[in-house]
Amino acid sequence: MALKGTLKDFGIADILQLIGQQGKTGTLHLKSGPQQVHIHFREGAIVRAESSTRNKKDLIGTMLVRAELINEAQLQHALDSQKRTLQRLGDVLVGMDVISQEKFKQMVQLQTTETLFKLFTWKTGSYGFEQTEVEPDPSFAPLRAESVLMEGFRMVDEWPVVKKKITSYEMTFERLKELPPPPPQANEFDAALDDAFEEKKEVVKGEFQSVGEQERKVYALAVPGRTVRQLIDLACLGEFDTCKALCNLVNLDYLKGLPGTGKSMELDREDTFLERSFAVLGRVVVGLLMVGAVGFLALRADLGALKLGDASASTYSDPAAQRFISRQQITRIESALALYRLEKGELLEQLEALVEAGLLKGD
């Protein structure tokens, strides 16, 4: 089943959700201007993502150098060895004992997720999905499409707040005070006892007002003179999480931001995220309406032809029978409706059309 179209008609989030829900195996090809990204799925999980137009600074070798995990000489030696042996770059570097296997996998994971999250900034483009066998990347832990969507939408919501404080990649920081010591690590049993017997007090915490492991890592790296860009490279947390940690530290007066001399944070990206936020809100509303419509049809229509429940041809007018229609069935119908609209370019008039189109089984 080949799926293709434009991102104006069907957004990145919709496509990822559809492939994930249907458990498809194949490759999703995305193109926007000169940018091309290929996402490989196996049974609905993302097992690899590649950018055929990736900038040099985003190549895995360059990322390792910028993170100061290896140096330029080690990278060049590894690249020369790779040409001779045709081994993976990671295998060469690990064999040279300049980086551990675990650390290299962590950087590959970061590179891939950064590629995926940048897709949420695309406003236009085209996509095509082909069902084909996919070879997973042994250095990459598969990701469920749902987790990518949740993280992507979190970034959509929070980026505008972060960029009010972190305004330039050339910003540097001054330490105003030391971080408090981390809380002692309690085992699960002690924590449960504390929760059970501790007097409950109301704790008021606003957004971006907490210190966690990411804030501590970024604070340790934020020595005078280091820019936001350098901190992103060194922290190995990703652009968004590094900038959010900096925003938290500035809000809590642990760091003071000093204006940089470079241009402000990519304003075109911020505009894209704001527009995307409205698009997300629109899809949520449409999704709720679709679920409501499907639920109404499932409760009121004669589903005997679809044979999702009892094999009899009786309707679900009885309230007791209506309660047996599961959420999973509704989700399955919703996915089938989306596929039908994507393939046919129109909304169906009768649910039986889903069976005829092969999108739902009749037994």
Side-chain angles (χ1 to χ4, degrees):
M1 183 186 301
L3 306 177
K4 60 182 179 179
T6 67
L7 297 180
K8 285 186 177 180
D9 299 330
F10 215 60
I12 293 288
D14 302 305
I15 300 168
L16 295 180
Q17 184 178 31
L18 189 60
I19 296 173
Q21 285 183 345
Q22 295 291 318
K24 298 295 185 182
T25 295
T27 301
L28 175 65
H29 305 284
L30 298 157
K31 183 176 181 181
S32 179
Q35 302 179 80
Q36 295 185 41
V37 172
H38 312 282
I39 306 176
H40 305 275
F41 292 83
R42 202 168 193 181
E43 296 180 355
I46 298 171
V47 296
R48 206 165 77 242
E50 305 158 346
S51 172
S52 56
T53 52
R54 183 175 283 141
N55 295 326
K56 182 180 179 181
K57 70 180 181 66
D58 296 324
L59 297 175
I60 188 64
T62 305
M63 288 178 64
L64 294 172
V65 172
R66 290 163 69 98
E68 298 183 3
L69 297 173
I70 63 174
N71 57 44
E72 286 281 2
Q74 290 169 332
L75 174 60
Q76 191 56 53
H77 180 66
L79 291 173
D80 292 340
S81 178
Q82 183 187 30
K83 290 178 182 177
R84 295 192 306 269
T85 63
L86 301 181
Q87 288 182 288
R88 294 175 179 268
L89 180 61
D91 294 335
V92 175
L93 290 169
V94 172
M96 292 169 54
D97 287 329
V98 296
I99 190 172
S100 68
Q101 184 75 42
E102 189 62 32
K103 192 63 179 179
F104 183 80
K105 286 184 177 181
Q106 177 188 339
M107 293 303 291
V108 170
Q109 200 84 9
L110 175 63
Q111 181 194 45
T112 303
T113 53
E114 288 290 274
T115 297
L116 292 172
F117 295 144
K118 284 179 181 177
L119 294 174
F120 286 81
T121 69
W122 289 18
K123 291 185 289 186
T124 59
S126 60
Y127 69 89
F129 181 77
E130 58 175 337
Q131 296 188 91
T132 181
E133 288 300 316
V134 170
E135 255 331 289
D137 185 345
S139 300
F140 180 74
L143 285 173
R144 296 302 306 177
E146 294 85 353
S147 65
V148 174
L149 290 174
M150 291 177 62
E151 185 68 11
F153 290 154
R154 179 177 73 91
M155 294 165 71
V156 165
D157 292 336
E158 297 180 3
W159 254 123
V161 180
V162 171
K163 290 185 179 181
K164 288 180 181 179
K165 295 288 185 179
I166 312 303
T167 58
S168 168
Y169 289 116
E170 303 305 317
M171 278 183 69
T172 57
F173 299 89
E174 174 187 346
R175 289 181 178 176
L176 299 180
K177 58 184 179 181
E178 293 297 317
L179 291 178
Q185 295 291 330
N187 60 45
E188 293 184 4
F189 180 74
D190 290 340
L193 283 179
D194 290 341
D195 289 340
F197 294 103
E198 182 182 14
E199 181 182 353
K200 299 299 180 182
K201 297 180 181 180
E202 183 179 1
V203 178
V204 179
K205 278 191 177 180
E207 287 189 2
F208 303 94
Q209 295 290 328
S210 61
V211 174
E213 291 183 8
Q214 292 184 343
E215 283 74 21
R216 292 184 182 281
K217 183 173 186 177
V218 172
Y219 180 88
L221 294 169
V223 299
R226 272 189 180 155
T227 64
V228 171
R229 172 56 66 193
Q230 291 172 319
L231 291 171
I232 292 171
D233 293 333
L234 293 169
C236 301
L237 298 172
E239 181 178 342
F240 172 75
D241 284 329
T242 302
C243 290
K244 181 179 177 180
L246 286 169
C247 180
N248 289 345
L249 293 168
V250 170
N251 282 342
L252 295 168
D253 295 325
Y254 291 109
L255 293 179
K256 176 183 178 181
L258 305 177
T261 57
K263 66 177 183 178
S264 60
M265 297 282 275
E266 303 164 5
L267 295 179
D268 57 333
R269 170 176 288 191
E270 182 169 337
D271 292 339
T272 301
F273 269 112
L274 290 174
E275 293 177 12
R276 186 67 181 173
S277 296
F278 287 110
V280 170
L281 180 60
R283 280 200 305 279
V284 170
V285 174
V286 172
L288 290 174
L289 291 175
M290 178 175 285
V291 171
V294 171
F296 177 80
L297 288 172
L299 294 174
R300 298 297 300 275
D302 183 355
L303 297 183
L306 293 180
K307 299 181 182 178
L308 291 175
D310 191 282
S312 67
S314 63
T315 66
Y316 289 88
S317 58
D318 178 44
Q322 292 173 2
R323 289 195 292 271
F324 284 98
I325 298 177
S326 70
R327 180 181 297 273
Q328 184 178 8
Q329 291 170 340
I330 293 176
T331 300
R332 192 157 59 242
I333 298 173
E334 180 186 0
S335 299
L337 285 169
L339 269 175
Y340 186 93
R341 175 180 174 274
L342 184 63
E343 292 186 320
K344 306 293 185 182
E346 59 184 16
L347 294 175
L348 81 169
E349 296 181 357
Q350 295 182 344
L351 289 179
E352 287 81 356
L354 296 177
V355 178
E356 296 172 2
L359 299 176
L360 278 179
K361 293 183 179 180
D363 50 14

